[in-house]
Amino acid sequence: MTTQLRNALLRGKRRPRNFGAGSPTNFRGDGYEFAELRQYVAGDDTRRIDWAATARAGTLQTRVVLEDVALTLAAIIDDSPSMQLGRARPLTAAATEAMTTWYEAALADDRCARITATGLVAPLGMRGFRSALACANARSTGVTLALPRAFDIARAALPRGAALLVVSDFFDLPDDADRMLGELGVLFDCTALFARDPWYDGLPLGGFVRLQDAETGAQRQFFIGRKQRAHYVKSVAQREELLSKRLGDSGWRTGLLHEDDGRQSLLQAFGLR
Amino acid sequence: MSFTNPALLLVAVLLCLACSFLLRWVQGRKSAQTLAYTNLAFLDAAVAAPVWPGRVLVGALLLSVALLGSALAGPHLTARVPAKDGSVVLCIDTSGSMTSQDVAPTRAEAAKAAARTFISELPAGTKVGVVTFSTAAQLIQPLTPDHQAALDALARIPEPNGATAIGDALALAAQQLPNTGHRAVVLVTDGVNNNGVDPLEVAKFLATKHVPVYTIGIGTNDSGQLIPGTNEAATIDEDALRALADAGGGAYVKAADAQQLKSALAQLGRTTILEKKKIDAAMPFAFAGGLLLIITLFGGMAMGRIP
């Protein structure tokens, strides 16, 4: 499955720019994997002329090969207090599964990076699995990741064409972040997994309840009746739809992070089962 | 409303203030018994939670405390209740003009039917007497607490005939009424006095004795009908009746048809003989406060919290 995920990234709409690392794409370019023979045209690299084929055909023949690239897999995983909640387990558990699956796609000369609250984690000199392991184990303690700051770091530090995974509930995504999202969508192959509200199908609350904001610690009392529960379900669905449209319009691939299976959630975002 | 111990009202105020501060403190403190939620701002918008249930509960709690506190101060309500020592004399016009048919079937028959309703509506224990008048006044039922006897007496009302001696009727009624207690005279007539003493003088005399005169004007001025057997138009003298009621400290009501007459007399029957009475409201206050407190507490628990 991770191979399919990697292939999906290689054939994605944003071409990775780390050439010559043993992962052929669909595009013609510099690489090792033979694609076809065609008649020489002016400007072709003379080193690509197939002399045996030229002898057989009587005219100059050029070997066309597939572009050979390596992926840069980057991830932003929201570990804020709001992601520590969940119905059966914290949303961060599913987010970690999604991240692990994401880094498992790293092979050969692929490079991995992770943006945490403390900054960019990009293991120097490491490639493939080792690089993925280092990123997956990266921890930021005591500081909460802010999405806008993480996006700034990504824009400044990641190479063009990198595959960027963002797993978050997107509650701290500013209303005026569309331009930033658009820029990231152009620069990178962006995938957003937004954490589905644990109670998306109905609040298990009734009457007066005292609730605490996981992020700010503020407490408030609410009266939740049947009408409010129905309204809540509708609002959650609307938010998912709006967020999906907003990210989709910015050129992002989107999917829902289900609390029970983060790996499957990521694969579903790529249309893989 | 008055209070036996108004100073104790301060206790009620202090109780309400204490409750109010307690509620504020309870609602404001950080409680360990809270549920964590990802984003309260989103939840607030998502559920569009109404604020009225909380306010209603708090309001009901404060009201119940206020009622209980007020009960300590011994509240008394002043109400108008039917007087036990009430006496009323009903004077019914039986002059020739009462044969007019502008009020169906005739003014006299309609007055008789309405008188029946009036007596039926009188509070039990109220003494009632019946006087009829035409050329002279006639007592057909002395004051009696037996309302059935008064109803039976209505059958003895003579057929309409003769002149209209309103003043004589009022004077006869005045003779019947006791010197003390709650008293009233109710006059049912078409109002054209043409015989006997001046009714206005008698009404003024009654006013000095604190006996109000209520006048019911029966008939219409614009029906175009004649009094049977005469060439006179069937009219009523509203101005005279209004003047009588004003002089006697009562009220004037016009009844243009049988139904209006009936309802006017029924209303008078219920309200003519009333007295102001102070009612001890401590128990009702305490009961209402206690009941409201129980409802609030159970309601609060059913809705997930005690306010």
Side-chain angles (χ1 to χ4, degrees):
Chain A
M1 239 351 138
T2 49
T3 311
Q4 287 180 32
L5 175 63
R6 189 167 186 278
N7 287 338
L9 286 168
L10 284 170
R11 288 160 182 74
K13 57 182 177 171
R14 306 270 169 250
R15 293 168 68 183
R17 292 302 178 92
N18 301 322
F19 298 121
S23 297
T25 66
N26 278 350
F27 306 102
R28 274 44 174 172
D30 276 339
Y32 300 99
E33 191 159 317
F34 175 76
E36 63 176 342
L37 273 175
R38 62 164 169 75
Q39 201 156 15
Y40 176 83
V41 291
D44 278 352
D45 187 347
T46 51
R47 289 172 297 178
R48 296 281 183 201
I49 294 172
D50 188 327
W51 294 109
T54 300
R56 285 195 297 275
T59 54
L60 286 172
Q61 298 291 315
T62 303
R63 287 172 63 87
V64 178
V65 292
L66 294 177
E67 190 178 75
D68 217 352
V69 295
L71 288 171
T72 299
L73 294 164
I76 299 171
I77 308 300
D78 184 357
D79 57 356
S80 61
S82 62
M83 290 287 287
Q84 309 297 332
L85 303 177
R87 191 182 283 203
R89 60 175 188 157
L91 284 164
T92 44
T96 305
E97 284 174 4
M99 178 189 68
T100 308
T101 307
W102 179 253
Y103 285 130
E104 277 173 7
L107 290 175
D109 284 339
D110 292 345
R111 285 184 289 181
C112 294
R114 180 156 170 208
I115 295 160
T116 65
T118 47
L120 180 72
V121 178
L124 284 173
M126 290 187 191
R127 295 282 190 275
F129 175 73
R130 284 182 62 210
S131 171
L133 199 63
C135 286
N137 291 331
R139 293 278 178 275
S140 58
T141 51
V143 195
T144 301
L145 178 73
L147 221 44
R149 182 165 177 271
F151 286 164
D152 281 339
I153 295 172
R155 189 172 53 178
L158 295 179
R160 194 181 173 94
L164 175 66
L165 172 71
V166 180
V167 185
S168 172
D169 52 20
F170 288 91
F171 275 120
D172 57 344
L173 182 69
D175 290 338
D176 56 354
D178 285 359
R179 192 172 161 195
M180 164 75 85
L181 291 174
E183 282 179 25
L184 292 174
V186 170
L187 286 172
F188 312 123
D189 185 357
C190 296
T191 304
L193 271 189
F194 45 88
R196 185 161 222 185
D197 189 298
W199 309 107
Y200 70 94
D201 55 351
L203 279 172
L205 304 171
F208 287 103
V209 284
R210 197 173 181 84
L211 296 172
Q212 182 173 29
D213 191 301
E215 299 278 356
T216 63
Q219 291 189 3
R220 255 199 70 187
Q221 264 177 344
F222 291 87
F223 178 77
I224 313 269
R226 196 171 48 181
K227 199 172 158 191
Q228 283 70 43
R229 283 193 290 273
H231 203 271
Y232 180 80
V233 171
K234 207 160 56 172
S235 297
V236 169
Q238 271 176 356
R239 180 174 182 267
E240 285 177 358
E241 197 179 320
L242 280 174
L243 201 53
S244 179
K245 185 176 183 308
R246 200 172 160 201
L247 289 163
D249 289 348
S250 300
W252 289 52
R253 187 186 292 109
T254 59
L256 282 173
L257 177 73
H258 298 276
E259 179 194 305
D260 52 347
D261 195 342
R263 178 185 171 85
Q264 199 57 38
S265 302
L266 178 67
L267 295 175
Q268 274 177 3
F270 282 84
L272 305 170
R273 296 242 172 217
Chain B
M1 190 163 66
S2 58
F3 293 91
T4 312
N5 299 308
L8 285 177
L9 277 177
L10 194 63
V11 175
V13 174
L14 288 175
L15 276 173
C16 284
L17 284 174
C19 263
S20 183
F21 281 121
L22 188 69
L23 284 173
R24 274 181 175 275
W25 177 72
V26 168
Q27 288 176 352
R29 81 188 164 145
K30 297 261 179 188
S31 168
Q33 295 192 344
T34 54
L35 295 167
Y37 184 77
T38 47
N39 192 295
L40 286 192
F42 170 72
L43 183 74
D44 196 14
V47 299
V51 293
W52 66 263
R55 288 183 183 169
V56 165
L57 278 180
V58 170
L61 183 71
L62 291 179
L63 181 63
S64 63
V65 170
L67 284 170
L68 287 170
S70 303
L72 291 175
H76 285 91
L77 293 173
T78 307
R80 290 177 74 84
V81 295
K84 285 182 181 170
D85 59 349
S87 306
V88 59
V89 177
L90 182 62
C91 301
I92 301 172
D93 189 351
T94 56
S95 63
S97 61
M98 290 295 278
T99 54
S100 302
Q101 294 174 347
D102 56 340
V103 177
T106 62
R107 289 179 180 180
E109 286 303 317
K112 209 184 282 187
R116 194 170 289 281
T117 310
F118 172 77
I119 294 168
S120 306
E121 292 288 341
L122 281 173
T126 303
K127 291 177 187 164
V128 60
V130 181
V131 168
T132 61
F133 60 97
S134 54
T135 306
Q138 181 188 357
L139 178 68
I140 63 164
Q141 176 61 56
L143 278 176
T144 174
D146 184 357
H147 293 179
Q148 188 54 48
L151 288 171
D152 294 342
L154 293 178
R156 300 196 295 274
I157 292 176
E159 287 301 312
N161 190 23
T164 309
I166 296 175
D168 289 356
L170 289 179
L172 184 56
Q175 286 170 15
Q176 300 303 311
L177 288 169
N179 291 328
T180 56
H182 293 80
R183 298 152 296 167
V185 175
V186 176
L187 178 67
V188 182
T189 178
D190 50 12
V192 185
N193 183 67
N194 51 22
N195 200 30
V197 298
D198 182 5
L200 208 55
E201 290 302 317
V202 186
K204 283 177 183 170
F205 168 75
L206 284 168
T208 60
K209 299 283 181 190
H210 305 292
V211 179
V213 177
Y214 297 93
T215 55
I216 313 285
I218 179 169
T220 55
N221 277 321
D222 50 0
S223 65
Q225 293 192 21
L226 297 175
I227 298 170
T230 68
N231 286 329
E232 291 177 43
T235 57
I236 63 167
D237 188 351
E238 283 196 76
D239 292 340
L241 291 176
R242 197 171 283 117
L244 267 182
D246 290 345
Y252 166 69
V253 182
K254 186 189 175 185
D257 58 46
Q259 189 54 42
Q260 276 183 21
L261 179 64
K262 208 169 178 176
S263 59
L265 271 177
Q267 177 70 15
L268 271 181
R270 284 192 292 268
T271 59
T272 304
I273 303 297
L274 294 176
E275 63 177 344
K276 283 186 179 176
K277 196 173 180 183
K278 275 191 171 182
I279 300 169
D280 182 8
M283 278 304 286
F285 267 55
F287 180 75
L291 188 67
L292 189 60
L293 184 65
I294 290 169
I295 291 172
T296 307
L297 293 178
F298 276 96
M301 281 192 280
M303 287 198 278
R305 76 161 187 186
I306 295 174

